[in-house]
């Protein structure tokens, strides 16, 4: 047999194993008694066992790291509860890209979609895992002056409250935008009032 330029002589009946994936010679030999498949499966088993053990080690390491992070989080939360607070507000406004009106849902489903989207946006402003309650959720009607804008406006407003924060979110949707009337656009307005840490010199 020739392997990597070297020539080996073995008793008759031996053959070199072919890698089933690459179809290349492996440089290993087995006596031709029908055990080639058995050998390949054993090698596959060893590889799988090794991979499983590596994954178990990674999982144990991740569990330990998660436990440490949870301890750190608990410590920070306890420190926050002991510090004095003051109120602070943030306001943001964003305009989304116009989309074709054929993407709109039927009117009733459209309002449900707006309400769900509005509450999701408001909830995302809170700290991860925060408990909250919905103070208000309802359709928002924009004041309209005749002749001001031929487009159709609808909207939804949500006010949610957590232990340390109030969040208000309003989504305006302008539909059938002139001149062609073939598009709509969303505008998102967010106001958040939350508790901010104060230093001892501010007390």
């Amino acid at each position: 047999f020739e392997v990597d330029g070297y020539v080996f002589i073995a008793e008759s009946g031996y053959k070199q194993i072919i890698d089933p994936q690459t179809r290349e010679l492996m440089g290993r030999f087995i006596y031709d008694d029908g055990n080639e498949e058995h050998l390949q499966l054993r090698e596959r088993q060893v590889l799988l066992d090794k991979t499983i053990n590596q994954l178990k080690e990674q999982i144990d390491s991740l569990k330990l790291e998660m436990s440490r992070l949870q301890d750190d989080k608990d410590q920070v939360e306890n420190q926050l509860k002991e510090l004095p607070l003051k109120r602070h507000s943030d306001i943001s406004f964003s305009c989304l890209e116009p989309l074709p009106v054929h993407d709109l849902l039927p009117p009733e489903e459209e309002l449900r979609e707006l309400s769900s989207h509005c509450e999701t946006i408001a909830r995302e402003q809170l700290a991860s895992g925060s408990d909250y309650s919905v103070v208000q959720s309802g359709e928002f009607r924009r004041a309209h002056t005749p002749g001001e804008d031929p487009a159709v406006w609808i909207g939804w407003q949500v006010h949610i409250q957590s232990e340390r924060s109030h969040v208000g979110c309003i989504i305006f949707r302008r539909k059938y935008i002139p001149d062609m009337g073939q598009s709509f656009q969303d505008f998102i307005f967010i106001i958040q009032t939350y508790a901010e840490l104060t230093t001892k010199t501010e007390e």
Side-chain angles (χ1 to χ4, degrees), residues 21-119:
Q21 295 181 343
T22 64
R23 308 307 300 172
E24 296 179 353
L25 296 173
M26 298 177 61
R28 298 187 61 183
F29 301 86
I30 186 172
Y31 191 76
D32 190 11
D33 58 358
N35 287 328
E36 180 177 354
E37 183 179 4
H38 177 75
L39 178 61
Q40 291 176 346
L41 289 175
R42 283 186 58 193
E43 291 179 342
R44 178 66 175 163
Q45 181 186 38
V46 171
L47 178 60
L48 289 173
D49 286 341
K50 183 179 180 181
T51 303
I52 290 172
N53 289 334
Q54 290 175 341
L55 289 174
K56 286 181 178 179
E57 292 176 358
Q58 294 176 6
I59 290 173
D60 291 340
S61 177
L62 287 173
K63 286 181 177 179
L64 179 60
E65 184 63 22
M66 287 178 63
S67 177
R68 291 173 179 169
L69 289 174
Q70 185 63 49
D71 291 341
D72 290 344
K73 177 186 174 183
D74 294 340
Q75 182 179 1
V76 169
E77 288 180 347
N78 290 333
Q79 291 174 342
L80 283 172
K81 292 177 181 178
E82 296 173 358
L83 291 175
L85 304 170
K86 68 177 182 180
R87 307 305 292 181
H88 182 76
S89 295
D90 284 339
I91 297 175
S92 65
F93 180 77
S94 57
C95 304
L96 304 187
E97 291 293 325
L99 296 172
V101 292
H102 60 70
D103 289 349
L104 292 172
L105 297 171
E108 292 184 0
E109 295 181 28
E110 182 182 16
L111 279 178
R112 283 196 296 269
E113 182 259 343
L114 272 183
S115 68
S116 175
H117 186 39
C118 197
E119 183 173 334

Side-chain angles (χ1 to χ4, degrees), residues 107-183:
E108 292 184 0
E109 295 181 28
E110 182 182 16
L111 279 178
R112 283 196 296 269
E113 182 259 343
L114 272 183
S115 68
S116 175
H117 186 39
C118 197
E119 183 173 334
T120 297
I121 292 174
R123 188 173 62 248
E124 288 174 347
Q125 311 310 308
L126 303 176
S128 177
S130 296
D131 293 329
Y132 72 94
S133 59
V134 178
V135 179
Q136 180 184 9
S137 180
E139 186 175 0
F140 187 88
R141 298 185 181 276
R142 173 182 174 272
H144 180 72
T145 302
E148 177 188 23
D149 184 1
V152 176
W153 288 79
I154 63 172
W156 199 270
Q157 60 182 344
V158 168
H159 174 196
I160 64 175
Q161 176 183 357
S162 68
E163 181 181 3
R164 291 175 172 266
S165 179
H166 285 262
V167 179
C169 178
I170 302 174
I171 298 180
F172 298 106
R173 176 165 292 172
R174 184 177 182 232
K175 304 191 294 183
Y176 311 113
I177 299 173
D179 289 328
M180 299 299 293
Q182 298 298 314
S183 61

